[in-house]
Amino acid sequence: MKYPTHVNIVEVGARDGLQNEKQDVPSSVKIELVNRLSDAGFGNVESGSFVSPKWVPQMATSADVMAGIHRKPGVIYSVLTPNMRGFEGALAARADEVVIFGSASEAFSQTNINCSIAESIERFRPVAEAAKANGMRVRAAVSCALGCPFQGEVSIAAVVDCVMRFADLGCDDIGIADTIGIGTPARVSAVFEAAAKAFPLNQISGHFHDTYGQACANVLACLELGVTTFDTSVAGLGGCPYAKGATGNVATEDVLYMLHGMGINTGINLDLVCEAGQFISQVLGRVPHSRVNRALAAKRALQA
Ligand code: HMG
Ligand code: MG
């Protein structure tokens, strides 16, 4: 089996990871988390969302976070923008990349962003245009590509249709998301293979929540196809407020351990990611969900 020699990781812990946290996480903590993640070597750190604070209160401080971080040259600081209001926030915050987020499931689109798939694309169109006009990158997310918490099965044709609509908007990257972590590797391969017929594979990324413990296996299935970009979340933080019961993204530490063990380069320092994972987990009053983080911490404790 031939695997890519280099993989890009988009670290989404400060956004996807924290958006569902019930306890107030001060901006100072979010800023320190983003700074620690930049220092660990990620090329793209998703740092917040410009969405309705009534819908996702935890992201209401995204402008403060973006204003407070230490920007490392070359790092892309990305934020979610569901509409032009969100885009204006992202522009004022000097985001490098905006993420427009749609769904392959009608039911999820209505619940998450309060409009149909077709309406969402029309909301995203001016966002994508304005981002391009301002020299910003545009990434898209296709939620529920492996199944929906409301409508159940989602067809591969529906995923491909969504990918084509995003391709038409001129996106630089399209992420295929398993929002509820329900997918298994053969289905993941089929979905990504079909998506790659509609959009270049080297601009498609994988976003796997780990609810059913399948996420690393699904990353591996994607690597076998040649996918080279994945979203992951430090300490396995997270979940979507509109996907009840879904757990966080696959833990960054677990994916890095797997990739580095396979000889795949990421440019990311696993030890620094573990420290960032310990830092945020301590603030939240829990142990990291990442098994690699816990295993390495136990090993260090034994050696000390
Ligand atoms: P709406 O109610 O249809 O929109 O919400 P609206 O234009 O009628 O506005 C309603 C209220 O929101 C108004 O305030 C607006 O001013 C305000 P009010 O008059 O009631 O006081 N508003 C905004 N405020 C701040 N920033 C904005 C903004 N837009 C409107 N940009 C909307 C539509 C999309 C805004 C809303 O549904 C929303 O914010 N939803 C949040 C969705 C969200 O953040 N979901 C989680 C992230 S997606 C995700 O996690 C999935 C992903 O990880 C991939 C995967 O795993 O699947 C990416
Ligand atoms: Mg997600």
Side-chain angles (χ1 to χ4, degrees):
M1 191 61 68
K2 203 169 171 336
Y3 295 108
T5 53
H6 184 93
V7 159
N8 306 306
I9 300 289
V10 178
E11 169 54 57
V12 299
R15 193 282 301 173
D16 204 341
L18 293 181
Q19 69 181 6
N20 206 25
E21 267 310 318
K22 296 288 170 282
Q23 57 184 295
D24 179 51
V25 181
S27 298
S28 57
V29 167
K30 294 174 183 163
I31 289 166
E32 176 158 358
L33 179 63
V34 170
N35 287 344
R36 281 174 177 262
L37 295 169
S38 310
D39 288 342
F42 294 93
N44 190 327
V45 182
E46 211 170 85
S47 307
S49 288
F50 287 90
V51 298
S52 161
K54 275 192 217 150
W55 289 60
V56 188
Q58 189 63 257
M59 290 292 108
T61 53
S62 292
D64 301 335
V65 173
M66 290 294 284
I69 56 175
H70 169 70
R71 293 182 197 229
K72 227 178 148 191
V75 175
I76 294 168
Y77 295 93
S78 48
V79 296
L80 268 58
T81 53
N83 52 21
M84 279 309 285
R85 167 110 182 252
F87 173 77
E88 279 146 23
L91 183 65
R94 297 191 295 118
D96 303 294
E97 179 181 72
V98 296
V99 184
I100 47 181
F101 51 104
S103 175
S105 149
E106 278 297 347
F108 190 78
S109 181
Q110 287 292 353
T111 313
N112 194 34
I113 49 176
N114 206 22
C115 62
S116 69
I117 296 172
E119 284 164 344
S120 74
I121 298 297
E122 291 321 308
R123 282 186 191 176
F124 297 145
R125 193 177 300 281
V127 174
E129 283 170 5
K132 288 281 152 197
N134 284 281
M136 295 152 96
R137 284 176 51 87
V138 180
R139 177 154 53 93
V142 180
S143 286
C144 296
L146 276 302
C148 171
F150 308 109
Q151 79 177 44
E153 203 156 303
V154 173
S155 71
I156 292 181
V159 178
V160 172
D161 181 62
C162 200
V163 167
M164 285 165 66
R165 290 173 193 241
F166 277 132
D168 181 54
L169 298 185
C171 294
D172 297 293
D173 180 285
I174 299 179
I176 308 273
D178 185 2
T179 312
I180 51 174
I182 198 175
T184 47
R187 176 73 175 186
V188 166
S189 295
V191 169
F192 278 72
E193 245 169 349
K197 294 198 175 103
F199 196 67
L201 185 71
N202 63 1
Q203 291 168 261
I204 294 178
S205 58
H207 177 111
F208 298 106
H209 286 259
D210 203 19
T211 318
Y212 288 82
Q214 302 296 300
C216 271
N218 291 338
V219 169
L220 187 61
C222 286
L223 290 173
E224 287 174 0
L225 292 179
V227 177
T228 53
T229 306
F230 298 93
D231 298 351
T232 66
S233 176
V234 63
L237 295 173
C240 175
Y242 302 102
K244 294 279 173 263
T247 63
N249 290 90
V250 63
T252 306
E253 298 91 317
D254 296 5
V255 172
L256 290 179
Y257 182 84
M258 179 176 86
L259 294 173
H260 296 172
M262 293 168 70
I264 298 172
N265 176 42
T266 63
I268 298 160
N269 182 323
L270 175 58
D271 289 334
L272 292 181
V273 180
C274 285
E275 285 173 20
Q278 292 288 343
F279 160 74
I280 189 65
S281 299
Q282 271 163 25
V283 171
L284 298 174
R286 60 175 83 117
V287 290
H289 285 304
S290 161
R291 293 172 72 158
V292 165
N293 196 324
R294 292 202 304 266
L296 292 176
K299 190 174 161 191
R300 268 194 303 274
L302 272 177
Q303 284 166 349

